[in-house]
Amino acid sequence: MAEEQLVLDEAFTRRDEILQYLDAEIAVPAGDTTGHARLRMMANRREELRRADRGLIFGRLDALDRTVLRVGRVGVPSAGDDSDPLVIDWRAPAARPFYTATPVDPQGQGRRRHIRVDGREVTGVDDEPLDGSGAGELVGEGALLAALGERRTGRMGTAAATLQREQDEVVRADSRGPLVVQGGPGTGKTVVALHRVAYLLFTYPQLAAQGVLVLGPSLRFLEYITQVLPALGETAIVSATCDTLVPGIGVERAESREIAEIKGRGLWQQALSRYSASLVPRPVDLELVWEGERYTIGEHRVARALASATAGHSYHAARALFGQQVHHLLTDAIAERSEELLAQMEEGFEDLLARFDAGITRSDNRAASNGTTGTDVDGELTEEDLERLHDRIAADSGVAATLEGWWPTRDTTTELRRLLGDAELLRRWAPELTDAEREMVVGEPREWASSDIPLFDALDDLLGDVRPNEEQGEFLTDRAAAQRDWVYGHVVVDEAQELSEMQWHMVMRRCPSRSITAVGDIDQAEAPHRHTTWEDAVGAAFGTRWAQAWLTICYRTPLEVMALTGPVLQNAGSRNEPPRAVRASGVEPWERTVDEPGLAAEAVRVIGELSERWAGGMVGVIAPRERLPALRAALPDVPVLSATEAKGLEWDATLLIDAPGITAEPRGWNGLYVALTRCTQEMGQLLVTHGAEAPR
C-alpha cells in the first residue's frame, strides 16, 4: 500500500501541474478558428482530468518481462517526454489485459493488482496472480465484491475498475453494425453499455463530432445514470427516452395497451409512406402568370419534373426541387415566346417589335441612360438577361402562390391527426389493420399518446422540413437535441426489449450507419408488443444483420434472491436460464402477511426497519399499479414504483407488496421477475389478505 501511495501521490501532483498549465492556456483568448478548436480541446482535457479525483489509479499490471503499468480513469503522462506514462487510460489497448487476462490466458502478464482508493488515499490492494495459483473466479474479486457491498446512493457509479472479462468483451466489441446484448438482472448491462460509449468515443474521436445518443426507459432512469459518462470523461452525449426524443411533441395522455400495441406495429412505416406519397400532386398542365401574360407548362414536362424531384426525397424537399425546375421551365417559356416574337418581327411586324422592346424594357427595369444590351440591339435575351429573369421569377410572390396552391406545404400534426381520425383514409393507406382496429384508432382522443410519437417522427421524416435547420445553441448536445433529423455516430438503447417496431424505426433514422448497441433482457419485457425473442424484437429494424452477446453472471442480486426466480421465469414463458449469481448477502428473503386495512401502516413500519438496517443506503417499494397512489401518500419520502418504473434501478433493500397483484397485470410474471431482482442485499414481501390466509 505504501508503494502504491507514492505512485498515486506522484500521479496527482502531475495531474495538478497539467491542470495549472491548461488553466493558464485557456485564459488566453483565441485569435482564429484554429485557436478556438485548440481551446475546446484543452477545455475537454481539463474537465476530464478534473473529474478523475476518484479512481485516478485503480489497477496495476505486472508483465512477465517486468514491465509495470498503472491503469486509471484517464491517462497521465510523465514529466519527461521520453518517459513511460504514469497512468494509462482504462480504454487504451494496453489496458485491456487488466480486464481479460486469466491464468489460462495470461496475455504476457504475471500479476494483476486492484488498488482501492478514497480520493488521494490508497485504502487497500488486492493482488491476483495470473500463474494459476489464485482461486478466485472473478477478475479482481476482492475489489468487485467490496464495490457491490457498498450502500446504494440513487446514482449509478462507474465500474471501470471492476469490469469483468465478459463485460469488457462487450465494451470493446466492433462498433460496426447492431450489437444486441442479452443479460439478466444484475449482470451489469447498463454499466457495460455506458462504458462502451466511453470506450468508443476514446477509440474513435470522430464520433464526438456527431455525438452519441443514449435512450433509456424513463426519465427516472436517465437521472440515475446521469453521472456515469461525465465521470468517465465523456460529455458528447444526448440522453432521452422514446417519448422525449422528438423536438416539439410530447406525451399528453395515457392509452390502453391494446391501442399501444396496434400503433407500435411496423406496418405503419409503409402506411405512412403511402399516405405521404398520396399528398404529392398528380401531373397537370400548370398555368403561370408573368407580367400579365399566361404561360402553360405542359403536363408531360410537369410529369418529368415531378419524377425527378420526388426520387428519394421527402415531400417538402421534392416540392422545393420541383419549384426550382418550374422556375427554369418558366424562364425557358418566356424566352421561347420572346424568340417567337422576334421571328414575327423579322417578318415585318413592326408593332410586335415595339411591344417586345417595351416589354423587355419593363422586365429589366433599366433606364435608357444606362446604355444598351443585347436585347436593345437584336431583341435576343443574353445569358445575363436569362439569369436576372430566373432570379426575379424565383422571388416572385405570384409564382410562389400558384405553386403553393397546387403543391401546398404540409403540417405534420395536421396530417397525422387527419389520417388517424379518418377510417376511410386508414382503410386505404393501412389496409393491414382490421376494421375493428381502425375503429379503435379513430376513436382515440386528439391529444398525443406515447405510441403516437414514433408515428409523428416517421411522418415528419417523410414530409421533411419546409426550410433547412438552423444552428441551435453552442454545444453539440444542444444542437443535436433540437434537431429531429440529427444523425448520431452511435446509439445506445437500454431496456431495448421494451421498444416497439415503430420505436426501432425511430432509432434507425438517427443512426443510418447502424452503429447501435442494444442492451436488455427479453425476459423482463413488459411492453404491449408480443415479442418474446430478440429475433422478434429487432427483426423489423435489423433484419438478420445483427450480432448478439450474452452477459451470464449476476453481480448485483444475491444468491438468496436469485434462487426465487426460476419458477417465475417458467411462468413468464422464458426459454432462458437466469443469470448465475456469484455473491451471497447472508440475508434470506422473507414474507409477512397483512390484511387490507392495515397495509399502509405495516408498509410504513417495515420501511422504517429497512431504512434503519441499511442506513446510508437506499430502500425502495414495488407494488401493483393500482396500489401506488395510496402507498405513495403513506410513504412520501421513499421510491414507490410499479415493476415497469423500477426497471434498471437498484436499492440495498426492496419491499415487494402484493406479488399476486403484479402477476395479474399484463405480462405480470415478467414484471415480478423485475421486482424480485432490484435489491443488492435484502428483499422482503408483504402479502395482502382479505380475511383468508395469504397465498405463498
Side-chain angles (χ1 to χ4, degrees):
M1 286 177 61
E3 177 187 10
E4 299 303 338
Q5 185 66 58
L6 287 173
V7 177
L8 184 62
D9 291 342
E10 182 182 3
F12 266 109
T13 298
R14 178 63 180 146
R15 185 203 74 152
D16 294 344
E17 292 173 355
I18 297 172
L19 283 174
Q20 290 176 4
Y21 167 78
L22 292 172
D23 286 340
E25 290 293 307
I26 290 171
V28 179
D32 54 24
T33 303
T34 302
H36 283 292
R38 179 172 174 270
L39 286 182
R40 283 195 299 271
M41 181 181 67
M42 289 191 294
N44 290 338
R45 175 62 170 159
R46 178 180 64 178
E47 185 66 11
E48 186 178 55
L49 288 168
R50 187 185 66 79
R51 289 180 176 274
D53 276 332
R54 294 189 62 186
L56 185 62
I57 296 177
F58 55 68
R60 166 174 160 169
L61 282 170
D62 290 19
L64 295 173
D65 64 3
R66 298 179 180 265
T67 301
V68 175
L69 295 176
R70 261 82 181 189
V71 181
R73 174 128 351 134
V74 297
V76 180
S78 299
D81 292 338
D82 298 330
S83 302
D84 292 332
L86 291 173
V87 187
I88 61 172
D89 193 296
W90 70 273
R91 297 163 289 189
R96 188 165 196 189
F98 183 75
Y99 303 102
T100 59
T102 66
V104 176
D105 179 23
Q107 300 174 29
Q109 307 301 316
R111 179 179 66 176
R112 173 170 41 222
R113 170 174 288 175
H114 284 260
I115 303 166
R116 299 196 297 277
V117 299
D118 183 6
R120 298 186 178 220
E121 180 184 358
V122 176
T123 60
V125 296
D126 295 293
D127 280 349
E128 187 180 357
L130 296 172
D131 58 3
S133 60
E137 173 188 9
L138 305 172
V139 173
E141 186 168 355
L144 174 65
L145 295 181
L148 293 172
E150 292 178 353
R151 294 290 188 266
R152 304 299 100 179
T153 64
R155 295 285 179 89
M156 177 175 284
T158 66
T162 56
L163 286 175
Q164 299 299 295
R165 183 184 180 107
E166 70 174 12
Q167 295 175 323
D168 184 77
E169 288 175 351
V170 172
V171 167
R172 299 175 196 259
D174 194 334
S175 65
R176 293 171 297 183
L179 175 67
V180 176
V181 183
Q182 162 63 32
T187 55
K189 299 182 295 295
T190 300
V191 164
V192 166
L194 298 180
H195 284 68
R196 175 163 168 77
V197 170
Y199 168 76
L200 292 175
L201 285 167
F202 176 85
T203 307
Y204 308 103
Q206 66 273 18
L207 288 181
Q210 296 175 269
V212 173
L213 172 65
V214 176
L215 275 181
S218 66
L219 294 177
R220 182 187 291 270
F221 174 83
L222 295 179
E223 181 182 357
Y224 175 58
I225 67 171
T226 187
Q227 298 299 314
V228 176
L229 286 165
L232 292 170
E234 303 300 348
T235 55
I237 311 298
V238 174
S239 60
T241 68
C242 287
D243 287 347
T244 65
L245 184 57
V246 183
I249 183 174
V251 176
E252 300 169 341
R253 63 175 176 86
E255 64 184 334
S256 70
R257 289 177 63 87
E258 191 172 6
I259 282 289
E261 188 277 324
I262 293 171
K263 289 185 178 179
R265 298 175 193 170
L267 66 89
W268 286 95
Q269 188 63 42
Q270 286 302 314
L272 291 167
S273 180
R274 292 189 289 260
Y275 176 64
S276 66
S278 75
L279 300 176
V280 176
R282 298 297 174 257
V284 295
D285 288 344
L286 192 59
E287 190 173 89
L288 299 163
V289 177
W290 178 253
E291 299 212 331
E293 295 194 38
R294 296 183 180 277
Y295 295 85
T296 300
I297 310 298
E299 180 180 336
H300 64 287
R301 289 188 175 183
V302 171
R304 285 201 301 268
L306 272 172
S308 173
T310 55
H313 297 108
S314 68
Y315 175 93
H316 287 120
R319 181 182 179 278
L321 289 171
F322 179 80
Q324 293 171 13
Q325 295 187 56
V326 166
H327 298 155
H328 287 292
L329 290 170
L330 180 56
T331 302
D332 292 342
I334 294 172
E336 288 173 5
R337 185 169 295 183
S338 298
E339 292 174 0
E340 291 174 2
L341 290 173
L342 179 60
Q344 295 176 23
M345 175 195 69
E346 291 177 342
E347 293 175 3
F349 292 95
E350 298 296 338
D351 57 332
L352 291 177
L353 172 61
R355 285 173 53 199
F356 175 73
D357 283 340
I360 294 300
T361 300
R362 270 199 324 274
S363 298
D364 290 346
N365 196 25
R366 295 170 295 177
S369 59
N370 290 338
T372 61
T373 67
T375 53
D376 296 309
V377 176
D378 57 15
E380 293 183 358
L381 292 173
T382 67
E383 289 297 326
E384 291 182 358
D385 294 328
L386 291 172
E387 288 179 10
R388 282 195 295 270
L389 178 59
H390 174 273
D391 291 344
R392 292 183 59 222
I393 289 171
D396 186 76
S397 59
V399 173
T402 300
L403 290 175
E404 174 67 26
W406 183 69
W407 191 339
T409 55
R410 302 281 182 175
D411 175 66
T412 304
T413 296
T414 301
E415 295 303 328
L416 183 58
R417 283 180 170 152
R418 176 172 171 249
L419 175 64
L420 297 181
D422 190 321
E424 183 53 40
L425 286 177
L426 287 176
R427 181 176 291 104
R428 183 182 306 169
W429 305 119
E432 299 90 344
L433 298 177
T434 66
D435 288 341
E437 289 170 341
R438 282 191 284 270
E439 290 302 323
M440 290 177 64
V441 171
V442 170
E444 286 290 283
R446 289 176 59 83
E447 293 80 10
W448 299 125
S450 178
S451 66
D452 292 318
I453 307 298
L455 303 185
F456 181 97
D457 187 64
L459 185 56
D460 203 46
D461 179 67
L462 290 163
L463 294 179
D465 293 318
V466 177
R467 54 184 59 87
N469 287 310
E470 298 179 358
E471 292 290 325
Q472 307 263 345
E474 177 182 356
F475 300 104
L476 177 143
T477 51
D478 296 329
R479 299 197 305 272
Q483 291 185 211
R484 184 205 53 76
D485 57 353
W486 186 274
V487 174
Y488 292 91
H490 192 79
V491 176
V492 168
V493 184
D494 206 330
E495 301 295 348
Q497 74 279 354
E498 303 300 337
L499 269 62
S500 70
E501 291 177 343
M502 287 304 295
Q503 287 172 330
W504 276 116
H505 282 296
M506 276 208 305
V507 173
M508 295 292 285
R509 277 190 286 276
R510 284 155 179 82
C511 193
S513 69
R514 300 164 66 93
S515 180
I516 298 168
T517 301
V519 301
D521 180 6
I522 201 69
D523 293 325
Q524 295 185 57
E526 295 182 273
H529 59 64
R530 300 163 185 170
H531 305 148
T532 58
T533 68
W534 281 114
E535 288 77 11
D536 294 338
V538 303
F542 301 157
T544 59
R545 299 176 60 187
W546 53 280
Q548 186 166 1
W550 288 264
L551 298 174
T552 62
I553 301 173
C554 174
Y555 308 101
R556 177 187 66 215
T557 310
L559 282 162
E560 296 89 344
V561 176
M562 286 304 296
L564 303 176
T565 61
V568 174
L569 277 180
Q570 289 179 1
N571 285 324
S574 170
R575 290 175 282 179
N576 299 317
E577 288 292 325
R580 180 169 55 89
V582 293
R583 55 180 285 272
S585 67
V587 181
E588 290 293 332
W590 50 264
E591 296 178 355
R592 297 179 189 174
T593 58
V594 59
D595 59 20
E596 188 74 46
L599 175 59
E602 180 66 8
V604 170
R605 189 181 68 79
V606 172
I607 286 296
E609 294 176 356
L610 292 173
S611 299
E612 183 176 351
R613 191 147 56 241
W614 301 106
M618 295 283 294
V619 176
V621 176
I622 301 178
R625 290 182 182 86
E626 64 180 14
R627 295 190 179 276
L628 296 180
L631 290 169
R632 286 169 176 166
L635 297 163
D637 300 323
V638 178
V640 179
L641 308 174
S642 68
T644 300
E645 293 169 334
K647 194 165 294 181
L649 306 180
E650 62 180 42
W651 304 298
D652 295 271
T654 300
L655 178 61
L656 174 58
I657 295 177
D658 189 11
I662 291 177
T663 63
E665 295 176 339
R667 300 191 79 158
W669 288 103
N670 301 80
L672 182 58
Y673 182 51
V674 173
L676 288 173
T677 53
R678 297 305 96 197
C679 71
T680 63
Q681 305 294 341
E682 179 178 357
M683 194 207 67
Q685 293 193 56
L686 291 183
L687 299 172
V688 184
T689 69
H690 300 275
E693 184 179 352
R696 286 293 191 268

